[in-house]
Amino acid sequence: MQVRKVDSKFLIAMGVLFLSGFAVLMIAQAQAPHRSTIAIATSGVEGFGIFLLDPQKPAAAAEHLLEVEGDPIPGGLEWSPDGNTIAFHTQIGQNIEIFVVDGDGNGLKQLTDHEAEDSWPAWHPSGQKLAFTSNRDGNLEIYTMTMGGEVIANLTNDPAPDKNPAWSPNGRNIAFTTKRGRTLSDIWLMDSAGGNLKNLTNHKGEDLTPSWSWDGEKIAFTTRRFGAGRTMRMDADGENLLKISARQVPRLDPEFSPDGKEIANVWFGGGQTRLHIWPSDGGLADADEHAAPVWKEIALGFPSAGPAWFDPDFVVPFSVAATDKRPLSWGWLKKAGAEK
């Protein structure tokens, strides 16, 4: 048997690479939450700012992550795919700008600095770029930018207002809100380059703020087609609509839980704001909401925005298919394997 001699310098270099990679991993894990965590912007716990909630605990146990000066409330909160960073928008002077902050409250960074309104950041599943809404060209459009804040492209470029981008877990599509056509607003789908447009809801009522399930098979959204805001769920192709939340009071900003079994939204009524968490199957959506505990409820301050949900046990690593360099998530890889 032939034994090859390994250069000691090579071993040392590999050891350094391993240790440095391990150190980077440990730093990343130190920044990300160690439990299921919902980020929400509110004024009722300890001033204005971003707070981290444990969905199993009351709001009084929330961690005050970031304080925002003045009255503006941050909005458009979204965790990075690895849970290390939160992107959000808030008002600075007369402008609305996009920021990121580490999951431990450090590293606050302003990404946009423009006289226009920049809002609703949405992470690409690789964590390397963001989609966002801006009226910097005189009309609300959806753009992409690098993590350094450099604008890459205007994806929509249409006379009608386009906003609220939400990137699919496999990186191929973006769901968004638009006022194109005859409706107040619909949920549309486009590919990551802005092409292959499809109207998913196509209803005369108002549909907005889409949110994807982790496997890319479902989209939750807010609708006002019944009057007050209500959360609904549909397949990613717009089929099989399902009512999730009860209808009596406005519910906004739906967000799938990381495991896809629940949907959180913000409830507003009677001068109060609460976080409601519903089963994503919607089985009891039309029941009298005061007769049975069909949701989890966390009392918040007023006003509030969000939520954004992260769980370290359900991180979906982003990878690239070896054959054609298409982006795939771990969930999609598992699904593909199960179909063989």
Side-chain angles (χ1 to χ4, degrees), residues 50-66:
I50 298 175
F51 301 84
L52 301 183
L53 302 172
D54 183 330
Q56 304 300 325
K57 296 180 180 179
E63 175 188 349
H64 193 178
L65 179 72
L66 180 70

Side-chain angles (χ1 to χ4, degrees), residues 75-96:
L77 278 64
E78 184 167 319
W79 285 99
S80 62
D82 59 9
N84 291 339
T85 311
I86 298 174
F88 65 97
H89 66 251
T90 194
Q91 186 169 339
I92 300 296
Q94 299 300 313
N95 299 334
I96 296 178

Side-chain angles (χ1 to χ4, degrees), residues 315-326:
V315 173
V316 182
F318 185 82
S319 62
V320 176
T323 54
D324 57 4
K325 304 303 181 183
R326 290 178 301 164

Side-chain angles (χ1 to χ4, degrees), residues 126-192:
S126 68
Q128 299 302 307
K129 59 182 176 180
L130 291 163
F132 67 104
T133 303
S134 180
N135 61 353
R136 58 182 60 204
D137 290 335
N139 178 47
L140 286 176
E141 304 284 5
I142 294 173
Y143 296 78
T144 53
M145 66 175 166
T146 68
M147 293 312 301
E150 179 182 354
V151 173
I152 301 171
N154 179 347
L155 298 183
T156 49
N157 197 23
D158 189 89
D162 302 308
K163 59 182 181 179
N164 307 136
W167 228 307
S168 65
N170 66 0
R172 297 180 191 171
N173 296 293
I174 296 175
F176 64 102
T177 303
T178 182
K179 290 189 176 182
R180 305 181 193 202
R182 61 181 176 82
T183 61
L184 293 174
S185 68
D186 275 318
I187 306 298
W188 283 45
L189 193 69
M190 63 179 170
D191 63 33
S192 59

